[in-house]
């Protein structure tokens, strides 16, 4: 599973999303548009997710999920667990 979290500085909900992924052992790429050492800019963010207006914004395996609440909706429906399991199975089959 490849997760991307678009974030900004001082964003408590961004921190919650990152903590969730860490707790579940899911690797993610953080794309902080306000960190001076990050290569990501607000222009990159709006190009990738034109209609987004809040942070964080989350993508998993190239599929746009939405913000933290939408991600948790997917979690509660069991969809993220299913995606994770499917990716593990595919990786095992490719060995």
């Amino acid at each position: 599973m490849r997760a991307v979290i678009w974030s900004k500085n001082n964003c408590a909900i961004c921190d919650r999303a990152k903590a969730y992924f860490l707790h579940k052992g899911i690797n993610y790429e953080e794309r902080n548009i306000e960190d001076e050492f990050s290569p990501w800019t607000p222009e990159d963010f709006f190009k990738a997710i034109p209609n987004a207006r809040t942070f964080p914004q989350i993508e998993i395996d190239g599929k746009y999920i939405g913000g933290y609440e939408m991600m948790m909706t997917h979690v509660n429906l069991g969809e993220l667990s299913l995606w994770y399991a499917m990716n593990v199975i595919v990786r095992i089959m490719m060995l």
Side-chain angles (χ1 to χ4, degrees):
M1 179 181 293
R2 182 176 185 277
V4 172
I5 300 175
W6 289 91
S7 67
K8 63 181 187 171
N9 294 340
N10 303 312
C11 172
I13 300 173
C14 299
D15 294 339
R16 288 177 69 185
K18 293 182 282 186
Y20 177 81
F21 282 123
L22 286 174
H23 175 73
K24 292 296 184 179
I26 299 170
N27 293 327
Y28 65 87
E29 174 189 354
E30 180 179 9
R31 297 182 180 177
N32 186 324
I33 65 167
E34 293 182 339
D35 186 330
E36 64 182 291
F37 301 108
S38 173
W40 302 101
T41 66
E43 291 79 19
D44 295 325
F45 171 70
F46 289 115
K47 188 175 186 180
I49 308 173
N51 295 321
R53 298 293 177 256
T54 62
F55 286 90
Q57 292 297 313
I58 299 161
E59 301 171 24
I60 297 177
D61 291 335
K63 180 181 177 188
Y64 175 64
I65 300 298
Y68 177 79
E69 288 183 20
M70 185 57 71
M71 179 189 78
M72 294 312 294
T73 298
H74 284 280
V75 167
N76 292 333
L77 293 173
E79 293 174 3
L80 291 186
S81 296
L82 177 61
W83 286 338
Y84 182 74
M86 289 172 51
N87 277 292
V88 169
I89 291 168
V90 167
R91 288 183 187 153
I92 291 171
M93 292 175 65
M94 295 177 76
L95 293 177

